[in-house]
Amino acid sequence: MRAHLEICVDTVAGLGSAKAGGADRVELCSALALGGLTPSHGVMRGAGADGMAMIRPRAGDFIWSQAEVAAMVADIANAREAGLRGVVIGAMDAAGHLDVPVLRRLVAAARGMDVTLHRVVDVLDDPVTAVEIAAELGIGRILSSGGAETAMGGIAVLAHMVTAARGRVSIMAGAGLRPQHVAPLAAVGIREFHASASRGVAQDARLIRFGFAPLERRDTDPTLVAALKAAV
């Protein structure tokens, strides 16, 4: 498997910057500052066949009500209708384990699409346990930082995940990724890399004061994307 770079974006401009920088795949979100929420249908339609849609209806934990699960199923249908390559999903139960029944329902809704299990695995006691579940459900990829705040901080766990996967599931490293991190992560078997490749952008103080903008906004930088792509 050749190495791939996935860039997560939450704006239409970011989508263009990711493509300009040479990203192999784009994860579409809204509200990246909150870890990424479901993007609008309009943004999905602009991404094309290389796009993956985050399916996450709200910030916070990953314990979903039945109404939220129904909303996610509908969002998966929107991603399919928009012509996207796949979706990014995750669910946890109240005991702190992956919620297999909910995941099974979401995977069924995404039948025929590429499916990534997102960083819900990083709040498990042991992210390695997600590998067998993902393989059993037919999920092709797990995005993880190895349970640490950054992928480099979790590199030892990521290595264990790669070993446990035995080629059945791709382990994609993400969180705090920089070009210099690619080589050590590749050395433990990582072949897919995930990053925002963003820089902080000055905000209008009035927008912040009225609650229309966060304290810091980050925009995808095509030069950072290109640097990551060159390292990959």
Side-chain angles (χ1 to χ4, degrees):
M1 175 184 177
R2 76 176 182 89
H4 282 76
L5 174 64
E6 178 179 276
I7 298 296
C8 54
V9 304
D10 62 358
T11 65
V12 173
L15 176 59
S17 294
K19 291 183 176 181
D24 297 296
R25 190 171 59 239
V26 178
E27 180 194 79
L28 304 168
C29 305
S30 63
L32 270 177
L34 299 174
L37 303 178
T38 306
S40 73
H41 197 193
V43 171
M44 290 187 199
R45 292 182 72 111
D50 292 328
M52 301 283 291
M54 170 63 76
I55 305 297
R56 184 180 173 218
R58 57 162 172 78
D61 64 34
F62 303 98
I63 302 172
W64 310 117
S65 68
Q66 287 303 307
E68 288 170 330
V69 174
M72 289 192 287
V73 168
D75 287 333
I76 291 170
N78 283 340
R80 186 190 299 278
E81 188 276 334
L84 295 187
R85 170 177 178 162
V87 293
V88 183
I89 62 170
M92 176 180 277
D93 63 26
H97 306 124
L98 290 178
D99 192 328
V100 175
V102 169
L103 289 173
R104 185 172 285 117
R105 183 175 173 189
L106 298 177
V107 168
R111 191 177 309 280
M113 303 177 77
D114 193 358
V115 178
T116 297
L117 178 61
H118 62 50
R119 291 187 62 208
V120 63
V121 303
D122 290 325
V123 296
L124 302 176
D125 288 338
D126 181 5
V128 180
T129 61
V131 174
E132 285 299 323
I133 293 171
E136 187 274 328
L137 291 174
I139 293 172
R141 181 183 304 105
I142 298 174
L143 169 60
S144 179
S145 62
E149 291 186 12
T150 67
M152 284 303 296
I155 191 170
V157 174
L158 289 169
H160 285 304
M161 293 174 75
V162 170
T163 299
R166 302 196 307 275
R168 298 168 298 163
V169 180
S170 175
I171 307 303
M172 179 166 62
L177 194 68
R178 299 292 182 267
Q180 64 268 28
H181 302 150
V182 170
L185 287 164
V188 302
I190 299 296
R191 295 293 177 266
E192 296 195 76
F193 302 88
H194 173 98
S196 66
S198 61
R199 293 190 188 277
V201 177
Q203 296 278 72
D204 186 325
R206 292 171 300 172
L207 298 179
I208 295 172
R209 189 167 64 250
F210 284 116
F212 297 143
L215 291 176
E216 181 187 42
R217 193 184 92 224
R218 300 189 66 83
D219 283 352
T220 310
D221 185 331
T223 61
L224 290 178
V225 177
L228 279 165
K229 179 59 179 174
V232 168

Short mmCIF file of all heavy atoms in Angstrom, two decimals, residues 159-217:
data_model
loop_
_atom_site.label_atom_id
_atom_site.label_comp_id
_atom_site.label_asym_id
_atom_site.label_seq_id
_atom_site.Cartn_x
_atom_site.Cartn_y
_atom_site.Cartn_z
N ALA A 159 1.79 1.52 16.96
CA ALA A 159 2.54 0.35 16.49
C ALA A 159 1.82 -0.94 16.87
O ALA A 159 1.73 -1.88 16.06
CB ALA A 159 3.96 0.37 17.05
N HIS A 160 1.29 -1.00 18.09
CA HIS A 160 0.54 -2.19 18.52
C HIS A 160 -0.74 -2.35 17.69
O HIS A 160 -1.15 -3.48 17.36
CB HIS A 160 0.19 -2.08 20.00
CG HIS A 160 1.35 -2.33 20.92
ND1 HIS A 160 2.10 -3.48 20.88
CD2 HIS A 160 1.88 -1.56 21.90
CE1 HIS A 160 3.05 -3.42 21.81
NE2 HIS A 160 2.94 -2.26 22.43
N MET A 161 -1.38 -1.23 17.35
CA MET A 161 -2.59 -1.29 16.53
C MET A 161 -2.28 -1.83 15.13
O MET A 161 -3.04 -2.64 14.59
CB MET A 161 -3.24 0.09 16.45
CG MET A 161 -3.78 0.58 17.78
SD MET A 161 -4.40 2.30 17.73
CE MET A 161 -5.95 2.06 16.86
N VAL A 162 -1.17 -1.39 14.56
CA VAL A 162 -0.76 -1.90 13.25
C VAL A 162 -0.54 -3.41 13.32
O VAL A 162 -0.99 -4.16 12.44
CB VAL A 162 0.51 -1.18 12.76
CG1 VAL A 162 1.08 -1.87 11.53
CG2 VAL A 162 0.22 0.28 12.46
N THR A 163 0.14 -3.87 14.36
CA THR A 163 0.39 -5.30 14.51
C THR A 163 -0.91 -6.08 14.67
O THR A 163 -1.11 -7.12 14.04
CB THR A 163 1.29 -5.55 15.74
OG1 THR A 163 2.53 -4.88 15.55
CG2 THR A 163 1.54 -7.03 15.94
N ALA A 164 -1.83 -5.56 15.49
CA ALA A 164 -3.11 -6.23 15.70
C ALA A 164 -3.95 -6.26 14.43
O ALA A 164 -4.72 -7.21 14.20
CB ALA A 164 -3.88 -5.53 16.82
N ALA A 165 -3.81 -5.24 13.59
CA ALA A 165 -4.64 -5.16 12.38
C ALA A 165 -4.27 -6.23 11.35
O ALA A 165 -5.13 -6.69 10.59
CB ALA A 165 -4.49 -3.78 11.75
N ARG A 166 -3.01 -6.60 11.30
CA ARG A 166 -2.54 -7.64 10.37
C ARG A 166 -3.03 -7.38 8.94
O ARG A 166 -3.43 -8.30 8.23
CB ARG A 166 -2.99 -9.04 10.83
CG ARG A 166 -2.50 -9.42 12.22
CD ARG A 166 -2.61 -10.90 12.49
NE ARG A 166 -3.94 -11.43 12.24
CZ ARG A 166 -4.95 -11.40 13.11
NH1 ARG A 166 -4.79 -10.84 14.31
NH2 ARG A 166 -6.12 -11.90 12.81
N GLY A 167 -3.03 -6.13 8.54
CA GLY A 167 -3.40 -5.77 7.18
C GLY A 167 -4.89 -5.74 6.91
O GLY A 167 -5.31 -5.38 5.80
N ARG A 168 -5.71 -6.09 7.90
CA ARG A 168 -7.17 -6.12 7.68
C ARG A 168 -7.78 -4.72 7.76
O ARG A 168 -8.81 -4.45 7.14
CB ARG A 168 -7.83 -7.02 8.72
CG ARG A 168 -7.40 -8.48 8.68
CD ARG A 168 -7.90 -9.21 9.91
NE ARG A 168 -7.31 -8.64 11.12
CZ ARG A 168 -7.80 -8.85 12.35
NH1 ARG A 168 -8.89 -9.59 12.52
NH2 ARG A 168 -7.21 -8.31 13.40
N VAL A 169 -7.18 -3.86 8.56
CA VAL A 169 -7.65 -2.50 8.79
C VAL A 169 -6.44 -1.59 8.68
O VAL A 169 -5.38 -1.89 9.23
CB VAL A 169 -8.29 -2.35 10.19
CG1 VAL A 169 -8.77 -0.93 10.42
CG2 VAL A 169 -9.41 -3.35 10.39
N SER A 170 -6.58 -0.46 7.99
CA SER A 170 -5.50 0.51 7.93
C SER A 170 -5.55 1.40 9.17
O SER A 170 -6.62 1.88 9.55
CB SER A 170 -5.64 1.38 6.67
OG SER A 170 -4.66 2.40 6.66
N ILE A 171 -4.40 1.60 9.79
CA ILE A 171 -4.30 2.51 10.93
C ILE A 171 -3.74 3.84 10.42
O ILE A 171 -2.62 3.90 9.92
CB ILE A 171 -3.38 1.94 12.03
CG1 ILE A 171 -3.83 0.51 12.43
CG2 ILE A 171 -3.38 2.87 13.25
CD1 ILE A 171 -5.26 0.41 12.91
N MET A 172 -4.55 4.88 10.52
CA MET A 172 -4.18 6.21 10.05
C MET A 172 -3.82 7.09 11.25
O MET A 172 -4.64 7.25 12.16
CB MET A 172 -5.32 6.84 9.25
CG MET A 172 -5.02 8.23 8.74
SD MET A 172 -6.20 8.81 7.48
CE MET A 172 -7.74 8.82 8.40
N ALA A 173 -2.62 7.62 11.26
CA ALA A 173 -2.15 8.45 12.37
C ALA A 173 -2.58 9.89 12.18
O ALA A 173 -2.44 10.46 11.09
CB ALA A 173 -0.63 8.37 12.48
N GLY A 174 -3.08 10.49 13.25
CA GLY A 174 -3.48 11.90 13.20
C GLY A 174 -3.38 12.54 14.56
O GLY A 174 -3.37 11.86 15.58
N ALA A 175 -3.29 13.86 14.57
CA ALA A 175 -3.21 14.74 15.75
C ALA A 175 -1.80 15.28 15.89
O ALA A 175 -0.85 14.53 16.16
CB ALA A 175 -3.65 14.07 17.05
N GLY A 176 -1.66 16.59 15.65
CA GLY A 176 -0.38 17.25 15.81
C GLY A 176 0.67 16.83 14.79
O GLY A 176 1.86 16.97 15.04
N LEU A 177 0.23 16.33 13.64
CA LEU A 177 1.16 15.78 12.66
C LEU A 177 1.93 16.88 11.94
O LEU A 177 1.34 17.84 11.44
CB LEU A 177 0.39 14.92 11.65
CG LEU A 177 1.23 14.01 10.76
CD1 LEU A 177 1.86 12.90 11.58
CD2 LEU A 177 0.36 13.42 9.66
N ARG A 178 3.25 16.72 11.86
CA ARG A 178 4.13 17.63 11.13
C ARG A 178 4.97 16.79 10.16
O ARG A 178 5.12 15.58 10.35
CB ARG A 178 5.05 18.38 12.09
CG ARG A 178 4.33 19.25 13.11
CD ARG A 178 3.64 20.45 12.45
NE ARG A 178 2.99 21.31 13.42
CZ ARG A 178 1.73 21.21 13.79
NH1 ARG A 178 0.97 20.23 13.27
NH2 ARG A 178 1.19 22.04 14.66
N PRO A 179 5.55 17.43 9.14
CA PRO A 179 6.33 16.66 8.17
C PRO A 179 7.42 15.78 8.80
O PRO A 179 7.64 14.65 8.37
CB PRO A 179 6.92 17.74 7.26
CG PRO A 179 5.92 18.85 7.30
CD PRO A 179 5.42 18.85 8.72
N GLN A 180 8.06 16.27 9.84
CA GLN A 180 9.15 15.52 10.47
C GLN A 180 8.66 14.28 11.23
O GLN A 180 9.48 13.44 11.63
CB GLN A 180 9.98 16.41 11.40
CG GLN A 180 9.23 16.98 12.60
CD GLN A 180 8.61 18.35 12.32
OE1 GLN A 180 8.26 18.67 11.19
NE2 GLN A 180 8.47 19.15 13.37
N HIS A 181 7.36 14.18 11.44
CA HIS A 181 6.81 13.03 12.15
C HIS A 181 6.51 11.85 11.23
O HIS A 181 6.28 10.73 11.69
CB HIS A 181 5.52 13.42 12.88
CG HIS A 181 5.69 14.53 13.85
ND1 HIS A 181 4.68 15.42 14.16
CD2 HIS A 181 6.77 14.92 14.58
CE1 HIS A 181 5.11 16.30 15.05
NE2 HIS A 181 6.38 16.02 15.32
N VAL A 182 6.45 12.11 9.94
CA VAL A 182 6.04 11.07 9.00
C VAL A 182 6.99 9.87 9.02
O VAL A 182 6.55 8.72 9.09
CB VAL A 182 5.91 11.65 7.58
CG1 VAL A 182 5.73 10.52 6.55
CG2 VAL A 182 4.74 12.63 7.50
N ALA A 183 8.29 10.12 8.97
CA ALA A 183 9.26 9.02 8.90
C ALA A 183 9.19 8.10 10.12
O ALA A 183 9.13 6.87 9.96
CB ALA A 183 10.68 9.57 8.71
N PRO A 184 9.19 8.62 11.36
CA PRO A 184 9.10 7.69 12.50
C PRO A 184 7.78 6.94 12.56
O PRO A 184 7.74 5.77 12.96
CB PRO A 184 9.30 8.59 13.72
CG PRO A 184 9.11 9.99 13.25
CD PRO A 184 9.49 10.00 11.81
N LEU A 185 6.70 7.57 12.13
CA LEU A 185 5.42 6.86 12.11
C LEU A 185 5.41 5.80 11.02
O LEU A 185 4.90 4.68 11.22
CB LEU A 185 4.28 7.85 11.91
CG LEU A 185 3.96 8.73 13.13
CD1 LEU A 185 3.10 9.92 12.73
CD2 LEU A 185 3.27 7.92 14.22
N ALA A 186 5.99 6.11 9.88
CA ALA A 186 6.09 5.11 8.81
C ALA A 186 6.92 3.92 9.25
O ALA A 186 6.66 2.78 8.85
CB ALA A 186 6.67 5.75 7.55
N ALA A 187 7.91 4.17 10.10
CA ALA A 187 8.80 3.09 10.55
C ALA A 187 8.07 2.06 11.40
O ALA A 187 8.52 0.91 11.51
CB ALA A 187 9.97 3.68 11.34
N VAL A 188 6.92 2.44 12.01
CA VAL A 188 6.15 1.46 12.79
C VAL A 188 4.97 0.91 11.99
O VAL A 188 4.10 0.24 12.54
CB VAL A 188 5.67 2.05 14.13
CG1 VAL A 188 6.84 2.52 14.97
CG2 VAL A 188 4.65 3.18 13.94
N GLY A 189 4.93 1.20 10.69
CA GLY A 189 3.93 0.59 9.83
C GLY A 189 2.78 1.47 9.41
O GLY A 189 1.85 1.00 8.75
N ILE A 190 2.80 2.76 9.79
CA ILE A 190 1.72 3.66 9.38
C ILE A 190 1.89 4.01 7.90
O ILE A 190 2.99 4.39 7.47
CB ILE A 190 1.73 4.95 10.23
CG1 ILE A 190 1.51 4.62 11.72
CG2 ILE A 190 0.70 5.95 9.73
CD1 ILE A 190 0.17 4.02 12.04
N ARG A 191 0.79 3.89 7.16
CA ARG A 191 0.81 4.21 5.73
C ARG A 191 -0.20 5.30 5.36
O ARG A 191 -0.24 5.72 4.21
CB ARG A 191 0.54 2.95 4.90
CG ARG A 191 1.62 1.88 5.03
CD ARG A 191 2.92 2.35 4.42
NE ARG A 191 3.99 1.37 4.60
CZ ARG A 191 4.86 1.37 5.60
NH1 ARG A 191 4.81 2.32 6.52
NH2 ARG A 191 5.80 0.45 5.70
N GLU A 192 -0.99 5.74 6.33
CA GLU A 192 -1.95 6.81 6.08
C GLU A 192 -1.78 7.86 7.17
O GLU A 192 -1.62 7.53 8.35
CB GLU A 192 -3.38 6.29 6.05
CG GLU A 192 -3.66 5.31 4.91
CD GLU A 192 -5.14 5.10 4.69
OE1 GLU A 192 -5.78 5.98 4.11
OE2 GLU A 192 -5.64 4.04 5.11
N PHE A 193 -1.82 9.12 6.76
CA PHE A 193 -1.52 10.23 7.64
C PHE A 193 -2.63 11.28 7.52
O PHE A 193 -3.10 11.56 6.43
CB PHE A 193 -0.17 10.84 7.28
CG PHE A 193 0.95 9.85 7.35
CD1 PHE A 193 1.27 9.06 6.25
CD2 PHE A 193 1.68 9.69 8.51
CE1 PHE A 193 2.30 8.12 6.31
CE2 PHE A 193 2.71 8.76 8.59
CZ PHE A 193 3.01 7.98 7.48
N HIS A 194 -3.02 11.86 8.67
CA HIS A 194 -4.17 12.76 8.74
C HIS A 194 -3.75 14.03 9.45
O HIS A 194 -3.14 13.98 10.53
CB HIS A 194 -5.30 12.06 9.52
CG HIS A 194 -6.48 12.91 9.82
ND1 HIS A 194 -7.64 12.89 9.07
CD2 HIS A 194 -6.72 13.80 10.83
CE1 HIS A 194 -8.52 13.72 9.58
NE2 HIS A 194 -7.99 14.29 10.65
N ALA A 195 -4.06 15.19 8.87
CA ALA A 195 -3.67 16.46 9.48
C ALA A 195 -4.60 17.57 9.03
O ALA A 195 -5.27 17.45 7.99
CB ALA A 195 -2.23 16.80 9.11
N SER A 196 -4.61 18.67 9.77
CA SER A 196 -5.35 19.85 9.34
C SER A 196 -4.48 20.77 8.49
O SER A 196 -5.00 21.54 7.69
CB SER A 196 -5.90 20.63 10.54
OG SER A 196 -4.83 21.17 11.31
N ALA A 197 -3.15 20.72 8.67
CA ALA A 197 -2.22 21.56 7.91
C ALA A 197 -2.70 23.01 7.89
O ALA A 197 -2.81 23.64 6.85
CB ALA A 197 -2.07 21.02 6.48
N SER A 198 -2.97 23.54 9.06
CA SER A 198 -3.59 24.87 9.14
C SER A 198 -2.71 25.86 9.88
O SER A 198 -1.81 25.48 10.65
CB SER A 198 -4.94 24.77 9.84
OG SER A 198 -4.79 24.28 11.17
N ARG A 199 -2.99 27.13 9.63
CA ARG A 199 -2.32 28.23 10.34
C ARG A 199 -3.39 29.12 10.96
O ARG A 199 -4.48 29.27 10.42
CB ARG A 199 -1.48 29.06 9.37
CG ARG A 199 -0.27 28.34 8.79
CD ARG A 199 0.63 29.31 8.04
NE ARG A 199 1.69 28.64 7.32
CZ ARG A 199 2.84 28.24 7.86
NH1 ARG A 199 3.04 28.46 9.15
NH2 ARG A 199 3.77 27.65 7.13
N GLY A 200 -3.03 29.76 12.07
CA GLY A 200 -3.94 30.70 12.70
C GLY A 200 -4.14 31.94 11.85
O GLY A 200 -3.22 32.40 11.16
N VAL A 201 -5.35 32.47 11.87
CA VAL A 201 -5.70 33.65 11.09
C VAL A 201 -6.25 34.71 12.04
O VAL A 201 -7.07 34.40 12.92
CB VAL A 201 -6.77 33.31 10.02
CG1 VAL A 201 -7.17 34.55 9.25
CG2 VAL A 201 -6.24 32.24 9.07
N ALA A 202 -5.82 35.96 11.87
CA ALA A 202 -6.30 37.05 12.73
C ALA A 202 -7.81 37.22 12.59
O ALA A 202 -8.36 37.11 11.49
CB ALA A 202 -5.58 38.34 12.36
N GLN A 203 -8.45 37.50 13.69
CA GLN A 203 -9.90 37.65 13.72
C GLN A 203 -10.28 39.10 14.02
O GLN A 203 -9.56 39.81 14.74
CB GLN A 203 -10.50 36.76 14.82
CG GLN A 203 -10.30 35.28 14.60
CD GLN A 203 -11.32 34.72 13.65
OE1 GLN A 203 -11.29 34.98 12.45
NE2 GLN A 203 -12.24 33.95 14.16
N ASP A 204 -11.40 39.50 13.50
CA ASP A 204 -11.97 40.81 13.82
C ASP A 204 -12.52 40.74 15.25
O ASP A 204 -13.35 39.90 15.57
CB ASP A 204 -13.10 41.12 12.82
CG ASP A 204 -13.67 42.52 12.99
OD1 ASP A 204 -13.75 43.02 14.13
OD2 ASP A 204 -14.06 43.11 11.95
N ALA A 205 -12.03 41.62 16.11
CA ALA A 205 -12.43 41.61 17.51
C ALA A 205 -13.94 41.76 17.68
O ALA A 205 -14.53 41.23 18.63
CB ALA A 205 -11.71 42.73 18.27
N ARG A 206 -14.59 42.47 16.77
CA ARG A 206 -16.05 42.63 16.86
C ARG A 206 -16.75 41.30 16.68
O ARG A 206 -17.75 41.01 17.36
CB ARG A 206 -16.54 43.62 15.81
CG ARG A 206 -16.09 45.06 16.03
CD ARG A 206 -16.43 45.92 14.84
NE ARG A 206 -15.78 45.43 13.62
CZ ARG A 206 -16.03 45.89 12.40
NH1 ARG A 206 -16.92 46.85 12.24
NH2 ARG A 206 -15.39 45.40 11.35
N LEU A 207 -16.26 40.47 15.75
CA LEU A 207 -16.87 39.18 15.52
C LEU A 207 -16.73 38.29 16.75
O LEU A 207 -17.66 37.55 17.12
CB LEU A 207 -16.24 38.51 14.30
CG LEU A 207 -16.40 39.24 12.97
CD1 LEU A 207 -15.69 38.47 11.86
CD2 LEU A 207 -17.87 39.44 12.63
N ILE A 208 -15.58 38.38 17.39
CA ILE A 208 -15.37 37.59 18.61
C ILE A 208 -16.29 38.10 19.71
O ILE A 208 -16.94 37.31 20.41
CB ILE A 208 -13.90 37.69 19.05
CG1 ILE A 208 -12.98 37.04 18.00
CG2 ILE A 208 -13.70 37.01 20.41
CD1 ILE A 208 -11.51 37.26 18.25
N ARG A 209 -16.39 39.41 19.85
CA ARG A 209 -17.20 40.00 20.92
C ARG A 209 -18.67 39.63 20.80
O ARG A 209 -19.35 39.38 21.80
CB ARG A 209 -17.03 41.53 20.90
CG ARG A 209 -17.66 42.23 22.11
CD ARG A 209 -17.20 43.68 22.22
NE ARG A 209 -17.63 44.50 21.10
CZ ARG A 209 -16.81 44.99 20.17
NH1 ARG A 209 -15.50 44.73 20.23
NH2 ARG A 209 -17.26 45.74 19.18
N PHE A 210 -19.17 39.56 19.57
CA PHE A 210 -20.57 39.22 19.36
C PHE A 210 -20.82 37.71 19.30
O PHE A 210 -21.96 37.28 19.13
CB PHE A 210 -21.09 39.88 18.07
CG PHE A 210 -21.36 41.35 18.21
CD1 PHE A 210 -20.62 42.27 17.48
CD2 PHE A 210 -22.33 41.82 19.08
CE1 PHE A 210 -20.87 43.63 17.60
CE2 PHE A 210 -22.59 43.17 19.20
CZ PHE A 210 -21.85 44.09 18.47
N GLY A 211 -19.76 36.92 19.42
CA GLY A 211 -19.92 35.47 19.40
C GLY A 211 -20.05 34.88 18.02
O GLY A 211 -20.48 33.72 17.88
N PHE A 212 -19.64 35.63 16.98
CA PHE A 212 -19.73 35.13 15.61
C PHE A 212 -18.46 34.40 15.16
O PHE A 212 -18.43 33.81 14.08
CB PHE A 212 -19.99 36.29 14.63
CG PHE A 212 -21.30 36.99 14.85
CD1 PHE A 212 -21.40 38.36 14.68
CD2 PHE A 212 -22.43 36.29 15.24
CE1 PHE A 212 -22.60 39.02 14.88
CE2 PHE A 212 -23.63 36.93 15.45
CZ PHE A 212 -23.73 38.30 15.27
N ALA A 213 -17.41 34.47 15.98
CA ALA A 213 -16.14 33.85 15.62
C ALA A 213 -15.44 33.36 16.87
O ALA A 213 -15.62 33.93 17.95
CB ALA A 213 -15.25 34.86 14.88
N PRO A 214 -14.63 32.29 16.76
CA PRO A 214 -13.85 31.81 17.91
C PRO A 214 -12.69 32.75 18.19
O PRO A 214 -12.37 33.64 17.39
CB PRO A 214 -13.36 30.44 17.44
CG PRO A 214 -13.24 30.59 15.96
CD PRO A 214 -14.39 31.48 15.55
N LEU A 215 -12.03 32.55 19.33
CA LEU A 215 -10.87 33.37 19.66
C LEU A 215 -9.78 33.21 18.62
O LEU A 215 -9.02 34.14 18.35
CB LEU A 215 -10.35 32.99 21.05
CG LEU A 215 -11.25 33.35 22.22
CD1 LEU A 215 -10.66 32.82 23.52
CD2 LEU A 215 -11.47 34.85 22.29
N GLU A 216 -9.66 32.02 18.06
CA GLU A 216 -8.69 31.78 17.00
C GLU A 216 -9.34 31.01 15.87
O GLU A 216 -10.05 30.02 16.12
CB GLU A 216 -7.48 30.99 17.49
CG GLU A 216 -6.44 30.77 16.38
CD GLU A 216 -5.31 29.84 16.81
OE1 GLU A 216 -5.59 28.83 17.47
OE2 GLU A 216 -4.16 30.14 16.48
N ARG A 217 -9.14 31.46 14.65
CA ARG A 217 -9.59 30.72 13.48
C ARG A 217 -8.38 30.17 12.76
O ARG A 217 -7.36 30.84 12.65
CB ARG A 217 -10.38 31.62 12.53
CG ARG A 217 -11.15 30.83 11.46
CD ARG A 217 -11.84 31.72 10.47
NE ARG A 217 -10.99 31.98 9.31
CZ ARG A 217 -10.83 33.17 8.74
NH1 ARG A 217 -11.43 34.23 9.24
NH2 ARG A 217 -10.06 33.32 7.68
#
